[in-house]
Amino acid sequence: VKATLAQDINQFAEGVRSKLAIKIENANLQKDIIKEGIRLADNQRLLFLTEQAAIARELGVAAAASKDLTATTDLQNTKGLLRSQENGLSLSVTSSLPFYMHGYKAIEKEKALILARAPEDRLALSEEYAALQKEIFALENDISVSRFLAARKMIDTDDPTQ
């Protein structure tokens, strides 16, 4: 009976170890997918910023067009925010002004900041990536296998006459 129990525990522990390894491998693959998604999103944003900066430069819009324009935008944003709060909708606020009206200086600064980000910083912006890192850490530090093996050792040293 002891030998059978020890063998069953060994097999179960090995199954748990294998299951953990598969979960870790899948999580690491998911991390790669997230990294690629971030890379593609950054490239898309950089292309958009490049085009908008070119339009702003062509039109001679170096900074936000004027104080009146900024005030109008702020008023529109506030109205949009209040309207979305009343309706219980998302609090995202959009302006009806074209993006290039921010001015090429601001647009090019955003572009430079994106390009200057370290890869770790890009990943730090992703909540999904952080959650996946936590999951991998938990899986790698799972002690269930060692507990099963400790139980097996108890069975080996246990006196069946008691």
Side-chain angles (χ1 to χ4, degrees), residues 55-69:
I55 294 169
R57 193 175 286 285
E58 182 73 24
L59 295 175
V61 181
S66 72
K67 197 171 191 177
D68 294 334
L69 185 61

Side-chain angles (χ1 to χ4, degrees), residues 100-115:
Y100 59 81
M101 293 303 286
H102 288 99
Y104 66 84
K105 288 181 181 179
I107 296 170
E108 288 174 353
K109 181 63 177 178
E110 181 180 349
K111 185 177 168 184
L113 290 172
I114 291 172
L115 290 170

Side-chain angles (χ1 to χ4, degrees), residues 29-147:
L29 290 172
Q30 188 66 31
K31 272 181 22 180
D32 291 341
I33 291 169
I34 291 170
K35 286 178 186 178
E36 182 63 15
I38 290 170
R39 187 189 68 75
L40 291 172
D42 281 350
N43 286 345
Q44 183 180 22
R45 182 68 179 171
L46 289 169
L47 180 61
F48 173 78
L49 292 172
T50 301
E51 291 171 350
Q52 294 300 304
I55 294 169
R57 193 175 286 285
E58 182 73 24
L59 295 175
V61 181
S66 72
K67 197 171 191 177
D68 294 334
L69 185 61
T70 305
T72 303
T73 302
D74 290 343
L75 181 61
Q76 289 170 344
N77 288 345
T78 304
K79 286 180 182 176
L81 181 62
L82 291 173
R83 197 170 31 255
S84 61
Q85 285 176 336
E86 289 170 359
N87 295 334
L89 301 173
S90 164
L91 294 179
S92 63
V93 179
T94 57
S95 172
S96 60
L97 295 173
F99 191 81
Y100 59 81
M101 293 303 286
H102 288 99
Y104 66 84
K105 288 181 181 179
I107 296 170
E108 288 174 353
K109 181 63 177 178
E110 181 180 349
K111 185 177 168 184
L113 290 172
I114 291 172
L115 290 170
R117 276 187 202 140
E120 307 85 46
D121 293 340
R122 290 177 182 178
L123 297 175
L125 293 172
S126 171
E127 290 180 30
E128 186 180 11
Y129 186 84
L132 203 51
Q133 279 293 94
K134 288 178 189 176
E135 181 183 340
I136 291 171
F137 181 79
L139 290 170
E140 288 175 342
N141 292 292
D142 189 299
I143 59 170
S144 58
V145 173
S146 61
R147 287 195 176 172

